Amino acid sequence: MQFTDLQAQYAALKTEINARMQRVLDHGQYIMGPEVAELETALAARTGVRHCITVASGTEALLIALMTLDLKPGDEVVTTPFTFAATAEVIVLLGGVPVFVDVEPDTGLIDAARIEAAITLRTRALMPVSLYGQVADMAAIQAVANKHGLSVIEDAAQSLGATFGGHQSCGLSTWGATSFFPSKPLGCYGDGGALFTNDDALAQAAREIRVHGQSARYTHTRLGVGGRMDTLQCAVLLAKLPRFEWELQRRAALGQRYREALAGLHLDLLAMRFGRTCVWGQFTVMVDSRDEVVASLKAAGIPTAVHYPRPLHRQPAYERFAAACPVSEQLAARVLSLPMSADLTEVDQDRVIAALAAAVGQRA
């Protein structure tokens, strides 16, 4: 069994993917070829924003978003420690200071009620993470941002296709930043990412930054990076897009099936907030004696992962950014991600459920 079944997805889309990639090989425009603009137009329309800018990775998306806001050394960005390192990494790379705010115990999402207390005169932006495919409380977060004149960057690496109050993830704030890493809900066959905004000036800045700050060829208007997304990777996503809505529906059905089957076991399920949909970028539960449960599942042939085993304020690279985030630490000790993809079969899902029931039953 695969943790994320990319082979089954490719088998279903082989003809379309091969044709799209062959088209790029035939025209030879591997950098900023026509597929780049085509994908950006399609994703902007799907997300309901004016601008989509494809970039080299989800990390690059966050970095470029901060660069468009002219983050300066010493500027603070309020974010969560219960996330992948890229969230804080980009802040520190620009000389900024990540200010960690603890998360909700039942969702793992940043606790919006705690954000305002973390704001200082040095705060430049808020960076909530849409964890496991569910969006944080963006209405409350945006209200705090508006009150203090701050920008909001949604780290939506796991949540493209999710909604909040009927609006699409990535279209909820100043910037939305997503990842097309292969295992994401919409994944390419390498690294890739995208930025989304309704701000014309920020969009133009991002387009210049991703090509080494060029406003025209060899005219370097601003500091930039080599942040373009390869044409071939855009071609892969264009082949996948027509199936994406079906995949989202399938993920929702599998997520609900997991939740119903696991409801009576000796574990905790993440809460789903009213008015939000989840794309189950990961299907994550909370268990005690996690190492023993993982070993039991492994013996049964069930792959697992931990997202994430140590919050960022406890990582060696970020320990200097001290924070009191006990909930994040508690979750890090208990979270366990199970196999999830649109191509997970009910037969395999039943195997996971039975093996997990046996594993946690032994620990009860």
Side-chain angles (χ1 to χ4, degrees):
M1 187 188 306
Q2 301 294 316
F3 185 75
T4 303
D5 196 346
L6 297 178
Q7 291 91 335
Q9 184 193 54
Y10 174 63
L13 293 168
K14 184 174 182 177
T15 299
E16 294 88 345
I17 290 172
N18 288 359
R20 276 285 188 175
M21 294 184 75
Q22 187 61 53
R23 197 174 308 169
V24 176
L25 296 172
D26 288 340
H27 67 55
Q29 298 176 57
Y30 302 115
I31 303 297
M32 299 302 290
E35 286 78 6
V36 175
E38 184 182 356
L39 178 64
E40 291 174 347
T41 299
L43 290 175
R46 196 192 189 289
T47 311
V49 299
R50 284 204 297 273
H51 303 283
C52 170
I53 303 98
T54 55
V55 293
S57 67
T59 305
E60 206 79 7
L62 295 172
L63 180 70
I64 291 173
L66 288 172
M67 291 176 73
T68 68
L69 301 179
D70 197 25
L71 191 77
K72 298 238 180 353
D75 286 351
E76 296 173 353
V77 179
V78 177
T79 189
T80 164
F82 194 56
T83 180
F84 184 61
T87 308
E89 182 177 59
V90 293
I91 301 168
V92 179
L93 281 171
L94 293 175
V97 177
V99 176
F100 294 122
V101 168
D102 213 353
V103 298
E104 299 170 338
D106 58 345
T107 66
L109 298 164
I110 191 169
D111 189 340
R114 296 175 179 268
I115 290 177
E116 190 163 25
I119 293 172
T120 73
L121 294 176
R122 298 304 303 270
T123 306
R124 187 73 180 83
L126 311 180
M127 192 185 289
V129 174
S130 296
L131 192 69
Y132 303 140
Q134 181 178 198
V135 178
D137 190 348
M138 294 297 285
I141 292 167
Q142 192 62 58
V144 172
N146 292 344
K147 179 179 177 180
H148 293 274
L150 303 172
S151 298
V152 178
I153 301 169
E154 181 197 2
D155 182 342
Q158 301 176 359
S159 63
L160 185 67
T163 60
F164 179 95
H167 299 284
Q168 292 284 326
S169 174
C170 291
L172 301 167
S173 54
T174 315
W175 278 117
T178 199
S179 168
F180 301 128
F181 188 80
S183 61
K184 301 299 183 184
L186 181 63
C188 59
Y189 288 165
D191 277 316
L195 283 162
F196 299 83
T197 188
N198 286 310
D199 189 302
D200 296 343
L202 290 179
Q204 182 59 31
R207 291 190 178 101
E208 293 176 6
I209 290 169
R210 74 172 171 183
V211 289
H212 302 283
Q214 295 178 94
S215 56
R217 188 164 175 80
Y218 297 126
T219 300
H220 300 272
T221 307
R222 62 181 79 238
L223 186 67
V225 296
R228 300 161 298 202
M229 185 170 171
D230 294 340
T231 309
L232 276 167
Q233 300 299 347
C234 291
V236 170
L237 293 187
L238 284 166
K240 288 187 175 188
L241 266 182
R243 191 183 193 244
F244 186 48
E245 191 59 41
W246 174 85
E247 291 195 7
L248 292 176
Q249 294 171 10
R250 179 69 178 158
R251 283 176 173 270
L254 289 167
Q256 184 60 28
R257 196 168 185 270
Y258 262 140
R259 291 177 65 80
E260 291 173 358
L262 300 177
L265 300 185
H266 295 279
L267 49 75
D268 294 315
L269 300 176
L270 293 166
M272 285 292 302
R273 296 289 188 240
F274 178 77
R276 307 180 209 180
T277 63
C278 184
V279 297
W280 300 114
Q282 308 290 346
F283 189 89
T284 301
V285 299
M286 294 171 278
V287 299
D288 296 322
S289 304
R290 183 174 61 203
D291 289 348
E292 296 175 42
V293 173
V294 168
S296 179
L297 291 173
K298 183 177 180 180
I302 308 298
T304 59
V306 176
H307 304 94
Y308 298 92
R310 186 189 298 183
L312 297 187
H313 68 293
R314 296 299 186 197
Q315 295 281 357
Y318 304 101
E319 284 178 333
R320 66 187 185 276
F321 305 108
C325 298
V327 178
S328 296
E329 293 173 24
Q330 292 160 12
L331 285 176
R334 299 188 68 222
V335 290
L336 179 65
S337 298
L338 305 175
M340 168 58 86
S341 65
D343 294 286
L344 178 68
T345 66
E346 282 85 356
V347 171
D348 279 346
Q349 189 179 35
D350 286 341
R351 283 181 56 204
V352 176
I353 293 165
L356 183 58
V360 298
Q362 292 168 5
R363 307 264 59 81

